Amino acid sequence: MRLPEPELESRLAAPLESYTPRTVTDPGTLWAQLERARTDGCAYSVEELDRGLNAVAAPVFSFNGQVVAALSASGPSFRLTEQRLPEASTVVQAATEKISDRLGHLRRT
């Protein structure tokens, strides 16, 4: 289940807080990242919350298709480099699919 568009638009209309020089605060850029995450099934953070920390996260779905949790993997940017994020994403998404399956989620084909 997705956040209703009006609520999402409202949240993105408010000023966005910056935590590091790489934090995305431009609503247009954030929209593009959100669409990419929806398409890819995961989201990336490259030093956006903490300097020197990268992460990938993917949703866990319940039987009715609602997102009920998320699973993430993070690490220091010198180990979990931007180039290694897709590899980590594969592992995280495989784990969330297994959890979702156990919750009765039927994936769309």
Side-chain angles (χ1 to χ4, degrees):
M1 183 171 178
R2 294 164 71 155
L3 191 64
E5 293 296 320
E7 187 174 343
L8 184 56
E9 288 173 8
S10 173
R11 289 183 186 197
L12 291 179
L16 301 172
E17 189 174 348
S18 179
Y19 299 98
T20 74
R22 295 193 72 175
T23 300
V24 175
T25 58
D26 174 65
T29 302
L30 199 51
W31 270 108
Q33 283 185 341
L34 179 59
E35 287 303 316
R36 179 178 171 205
R38 288 174 174 166
T39 300
D40 294 349
C42 67
Y44 301 101
S45 175
V46 179
E47 297 191 39
E48 291 186 45
L49 295 174
D50 287 308
R51 286 183 181 184
L53 181 72
N54 292 341
V56 59
V60 174
F61 296 94
S62 69
F63 68 95
N64 64 0
Q66 188 169 14
V67 175
V68 293
L71 184 65
S72 69
S74 62
S77 58
F78 68 89
R79 258 193 212 122
L80 184 56
T81 63
E82 287 186 62
Q83 293 76 25
R84 291 194 67 201
L85 283 171
E87 176 187 349
S89 171
T90 300
V91 174
V92 169
Q93 286 183 329
T96 60
E97 286 178 7
K98 285 181 182 179
I99 296 168
S100 297
D101 289 348
R102 301 259 336 231
L103 294 175
H105 177 59
L106 301 174
R107 282 179 252 144
R108 289 186 247 159
T109 56

